[in-house]
């Protein structure tokens, strides 16, 4: 069996200008990054902005397991299948982070014959968007420390600096550091921290900004520290906003690439869903909606994280209304949730399937709370049996969901036709009455409790004393109407990664809360979630290499 990178490297790509031409984009509206990548210009948006929107479809999944779910693979394959059916469809994805590429998860270009290409470029430096975000983030950090060093006219309290430096890499030793060591000219000694770039507020801002002007306003509102008197200090106060915007002026433009079957793909932005809001950029989604009849987008990790944030943060901020949701599961992952060890997942086990399917059940119930039609798809494996597939089909249809098998990893678009037809039928016959889970007027505590109880199934929420004080402070500053962005592990519906299936009788533990004033939401850290991941004992980086003729190997 060929690896994903072998399949991608053997593919015949079209020049991106030809893919663009098929999508109705003139060459003059492209900003080229080589032959196979391009950014879409602001001028192109001005040409299409008054067109009617197409249908918006969100692809999400059950909680991820070591068995794999294939959410991005399904998204890409579904887009390819729409092309085979003659439909005008575009997919809209997030950009991969280098952290998981070199860590344990690998890249995020899809898999098998449902990939976006050039796969190596996408998973590594791509068009430099993450570099620009990292640079803007760290410029702000440098200007802040320089201001303190050069007289501190804003009276910044070094003990209340909340802006962290960032790096697009899993590097646990940078979570908690000391800066300013050396002599007096090397700056003030203080504790500092790093987050991974995808957790930076600037990533969230880029992904939620309407345009360059909105980006600049949001950047200016970033709270970086508090004064000795407890007043917030912003990027505008540090006169950092203009320079940060200059670094991001090209990064805000969506990127166009293609699938293995030449379906257009807008890939832009990449916040993680476990520690950030988990969706690609508003600009890319809006452009796709104007360019096509059907837009297929995804949100990170399981529906308890990515889908909840897509529906409660991105759609609220951007005024988007999804027309349907595709919920991805696998027989293997459901058996894993039912207690089967990873090595035994290939054997038929209806008893374990019945026990583990409660995870899928909870995600179905959660999505139905938003009043959006749900289609469940099984990302099929060769070891799945007919009895297992039928058990899941009957389970889903008994809960008001449409159901289809997907074989896109193996067959590309051809393997997604059954799913595409089921989705088209759903879009035609079922209306979406989308609404967010909670209203803006609720207090921040009530919003946290609503997500914890309604989505996670928690009994209640335990707030650490520090989090209580932070919530009071944020409310007093006028940010109480913001939505909440829950930072929670991706593996369980609870904040304990070891509790699989559908946990009950548990509390969500909130240990820290802070406001992302530029992004427009309040971040809630639960359990042991980290905003700077670490590498595993055997990182994926150990197996990545380059041959003498420049071909990358080992990337997946």
């Amino acid at each position: 069996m060929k690896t994903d990178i072998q399949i991608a490297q053997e593919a015949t790509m079209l020049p991106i200008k030809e893919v663009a031409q098929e999508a109705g984009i003139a060459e003059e509206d492209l900003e080229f990054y080589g032959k196979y990548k391009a950014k879409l210009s602001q001028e192109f948006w001005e040409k299409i902005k008054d067109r009617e929107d197409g249908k918006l479809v969100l692809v999400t999944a059950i909680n991820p397991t070591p068995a794999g779910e294939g959410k991005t693979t399904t998204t890409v394959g579904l887009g390819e299948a729409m092309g085979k059916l003659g439909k005008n469809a575009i997919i809209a994805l997030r950009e991969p982070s280098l952290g998981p590429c070199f860590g344990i998860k690998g890249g995020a270009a899809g898999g098998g014959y449902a990939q976006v290409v050039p796969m190596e470029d996408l998973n590594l430096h791509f068009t430099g968007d993450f570099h620009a975000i990292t640079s803007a983030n760290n410029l702000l950090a440098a200007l802040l420390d320089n201001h303190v060093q050069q007289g501190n006219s804003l009276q910044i309290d070094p003990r209340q600096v909340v802006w962290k430096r960032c790096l697009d890499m899993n590097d646990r030793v940078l979570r908690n550091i000391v800066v300013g060591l050396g002599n007096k000219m090397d700056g003030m000694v203080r504790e500092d921290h790093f987050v991974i770039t995808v957790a930076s507020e600037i990533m969230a801002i880029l992904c939620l900004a309407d345009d360059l002007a909105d980006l600049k306003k949001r950047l200016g509102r970033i709270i970086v520290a508090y004064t000795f008197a407890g007043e917030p200090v912003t990027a505008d106060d540090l006169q950092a906003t203009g320079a940060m915007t200059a670094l991001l002026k090209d990064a805000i433009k969506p990127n166009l690439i293609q699938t293995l079957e030449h379906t257009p793909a807008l890939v832009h932005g990449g916040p993680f869903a476990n520690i950030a809001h988990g969706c690609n950029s508003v600009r890319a989604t809006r452009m796709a909606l104007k360019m096509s009849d059907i837009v297929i987008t995804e949100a990170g990790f399981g529906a308890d994280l990515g889908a909840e944030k897509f529906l409660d943060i991105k759609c609220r901020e951007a005024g988007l209304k999804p027309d349907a949701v595709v919920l991805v599961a696998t027989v293997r992952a459901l058996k894993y949730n039912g207690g089967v060890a990873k090595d035994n997942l290939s054997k038929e086990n209806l008893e374990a399937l019945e026990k583990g399917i409660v995870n899928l059940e909870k995600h179905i119930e959660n999505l139905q709370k938003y009043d959006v039609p749900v289609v469940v798809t099984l990302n099929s494996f060769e070891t799945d049996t007919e009895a297992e597939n039928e058990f899941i089909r009957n389970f889903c249809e008994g809960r008001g969901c449409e159901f289809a098998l997907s074989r896109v990893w193996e067959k590309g678009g051809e393997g997604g036709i059954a799913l595409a037809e089921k989705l088209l039928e759903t879009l035609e016959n079922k209306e979406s009455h989308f609404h967010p889970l909670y209203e803006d007027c609720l207090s921040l505590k009530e919003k946290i409790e609503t997500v914890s109880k309604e989505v996670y199934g928690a009994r209640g929420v335990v707030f650490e004393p520090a989090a209580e004080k932070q919530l009071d402070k944020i409310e007093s500053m006028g940010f109480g109407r913001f939505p909440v962005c829950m930072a929670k592990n991706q593996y369980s519906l609870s904040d304990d990664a070891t509790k699989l299936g559908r946990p009950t009788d548990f509390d969500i533990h909130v240990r820290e809360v802070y406001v992302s004033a530029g992004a427009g939401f309040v971040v809630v850290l639960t359990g042991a979630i980290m905003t700077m991941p670490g590498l595993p004992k055997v990182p994926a980086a150990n197996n990545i290499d380059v041959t003498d003729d420049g071909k990358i190997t080992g990337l997946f």
Side-chain angles (χ1 to χ4, degrees):
M1 183 66 70
K2 294 178 181 177
T3 64
D4 290 347
I5 195 169
Q6 287 173 327
I7 292 169
Q9 288 173 339
E10 291 173 5
T12 301
M13 289 183 283
L14 294 177
I16 198 61
K17 64 181 180 180
E18 294 182 22
V19 177
Q21 188 175 21
E22 286 294 315
I25 307 169
E27 187 172 343
E28 65 188 27
D29 293 319
L30 299 173
E31 298 175 8
F32 292 100
Y33 284 68
K35 289 193 293 185
Y36 305 112
K37 301 172 288 184
K39 282 188 172 286
L40 300 179
S41 68
Q42 177 62 26
E43 290 76 19
F44 176 64
W45 171 250
E46 294 299 327
K47 291 178 183 178
I48 66 173
K49 66 181 181 181
D50 294 325
R51 293 180 186 173
E52 185 177 345
D53 285 348
K55 299 284 189 180
L56 179 59
V57 177
L58 172 67
V59 179
T60 186
I62 62 171
N63 291 100
T65 70
E69 286 66 56
K71 175 165 43 63
T72 304
T73 301
T74 300
T75 303
V76 175
L78 180 54
E80 292 175 333
M82 289 291 180
K84 285 194 173 294
L85 293 174
K87 302 299 180 182
N88 177 19
I90 288 179
I91 61 174
L93 303 172
R94 296 169 300 151
E95 300 177 45
S97 163
L98 292 178
C101 282
F102 295 133
I104 193 168
K105 179 177 178 289
Y113 290 91
Q115 294 187 61
V116 282
V117 285
M119 179 263 215
E120 306 100 302
D121 291 16
L122 175 61
N123 280 321
L124 299 177
H125 300 293
F126 200 32
T127 59
D129 293 344
F130 281 23
H131 167 74
I133 291 166
T134 303
S135 298
N137 184 104
N138 293 340
L139 170 64
L140 182 55
L143 290 171
L144 187 158
D145 281 314
N146 184 62
H147 180 89
V148 174
Q149 174 74 4
Q150 304 289 357
N152 198 10
S153 61
L154 290 172
Q155 291 293 291
I156 293 171
D157 183 349
R159 298 163 301 179
Q160 295 191 74
V161 172
V162 295
W163 189 249
K164 298 176 175 66
R165 288 168 162 81
C166 77
L167 182 72
D168 189 32
M169 196 66 62
N170 292 358
D171 196 348
R172 63 170 55 84
V173 301
L174 294 179
R175 289 172 185 162
N176 304 291
I177 61 172
V178 176
V179 295
L181 294 174
N183 61 42
K184 187 175 180 180
M185 294 305 294
D186 295 322
M188 179 172 286
V189 177
R190 68 175 181 86
E191 183 179 357
D192 202 0
H193 313 272
F194 270 79
V195 299
I196 193 166
T197 297
V198 291
S200 167
E201 183 178 352
I202 294 178
M203 174 66 82
I205 287 172
L206 184 92
C207 289
L208 292 170
D210 293 329
D211 50 30
L212 196 62
D214 187 39
L215 175 74
K216 191 172 183 179
K217 288 178 186 175
R218 288 173 178 268
L219 291 172
R221 295 199 299 263
I222 292 172
I223 294 174
V224 297
Y226 293 87
T227 67
F228 289 107
E231 296 300 315
V233 179
T234 67
D236 270 350
D237 293 329
L238 288 171
Q239 301 178 50
T241 310
M244 293 162 66
T245 307
L247 285 169
L248 297 167
K249 73 176 184 65
D250 292 322
I252 196 175
K253 299 170 185 175
N255 306 294
L256 176 68
I257 54 174
Q258 61 191 290
T259 72
L260 291 173
E261 298 180 12
H262 316 307
T263 306
L266 296 188
V267 186
H268 194 220
F272 282 175
N274 57 343
I275 53 181
H277 78 281
C279 312
N280 74 319
S281 77
V282 166
R283 280 178 65 83
T285 303
R286 282 184 174 155
M287 274 194 176
L289 286 167
K290 300 297 182 183
M291 292 165 58
S292 63
D293 297 328
I294 301 171
V295 175
I296 304 162
T297 190
E298 67 162 1
F301 292 126
D304 56 319
L305 290 171
E308 186 273 316
K309 293 167 184 177
F310 178 90
L311 299 167
D312 283 321
I313 296 177
K314 180 176 177 177
C315 289
R316 188 192 306 262
E317 285 272 320
L320 299 172
K321 295 184 178 180
D323 295 283
V325 177
V326 174
L327 178 57
V328 181
T330 65
V331 170
R332 293 165 58 86
L334 293 175
K335 288 190 290 192
Y336 185 85
N337 270 282
V340 177
K342 185 179 177 182
D343 293 341
N344 296 325
L345 293 173
S346 298
K347 301 174 184 176
E348 182 179 285
N349 191 330
L350 292 173
E351 183 180 347
L353 188 58
E354 184 174 4
K355 184 179 177 183
I357 205 168
V358 294
N359 186 265
L360 174 61
E361 178 181 46
K362 179 57 176 164
H363 288 298
I364 291 172
E365 291 174 8
N366 287 344
L367 293 169
Q368 289 175 335
K369 290 175 182 178
Y370 294 90
D371 285 337
V372 180
V374 178
V375 178
V376 176
T377 186
L378 275 185
N379 184 20
S380 187
F381 284 73
E382 287 183 357
T383 55
D384 300 346
T385 69
E386 186 65 29
E388 290 172 328
N389 289 341
E390 283 306 302
F391 176 82
I392 298 170
R393 179 191 301 275
N394 293 333
F395 184 91
C396 294
E397 290 177 349
R399 283 152 183 80
C401 295
E402 299 295 335
F403 177 88
L405 288 175
S406 169
R407 294 184 170 89
V408 295
W409 187 91
E410 178 189 1
K411 299 181 178 180
E414 188 67 33
I417 287 179
L419 173 58
E421 289 176 338
K422 187 64 71 174
L423 176 60
L424 290 170
E425 181 185 317
T426 299
L427 291 172
E428 185 176 341
N429 298 322
K430 292 189 177 181
E431 283 191 25
S432 171
H433 301 285
F434 167 73
H435 57 81
L437 187 65
Y438 53 81
E439 299 296 330
D440 292 337
C441 60
L442 293 181
S443 70
L444 293 174
K445 262 192 173 182
E446 288 172 323
K447 291 169 185 172
I448 294 167
E449 288 169 348
T450 299
V451 175
S452 298
K453 293 177 181 178
E454 294 292 325
V455 177
Y456 308 153
R459 173 180 52 204
V461 181
V462 176
F463 295 92
E464 295 291 331
E468 294 265 15
K469 290 180 181 178
Q470 291 159 346
L471 282 168
D472 290 342
K473 175 79 170 178
I474 293 167
E475 295 263 13
S476 71
M477 291 166 62
F479 298 116
R481 292 184 65 84
F482 278 7
V484 292
C485 181
M486 305 289 289
K488 180 182 76 68
N489 85 85
Q490 63 267 35
Y491 302 110
S492 171
L493 286 159
S494 74
D495 58 7
D496 180 349
T498 65
K499 293 181 177 178
L500 303 182
R502 183 175 182 167
T504 57
D505 298 324
F506 67 91
D507 294 319
I508 292 293
H509 298 82
V510 174
R511 58 183 174 85
E512 184 181 345
V513 183
Y514 61 89
V515 62
S516 291
F521 53 65
V522 172
V523 181
V524 182
L525 298 180
T526 71
I529 193 71
M530 294 288 183
T531 53
M532 170 55 85
L535 290 169
K537 187 172 183 178
V538 183
N542 291 6
N543 298 313
I544 296 173
D545 204 351
V546 183
T547 61
D548 290 344
D549 60 356
K551 181 178 287 189
I552 294 173
T553 61
L555 189 64
F556 65 95

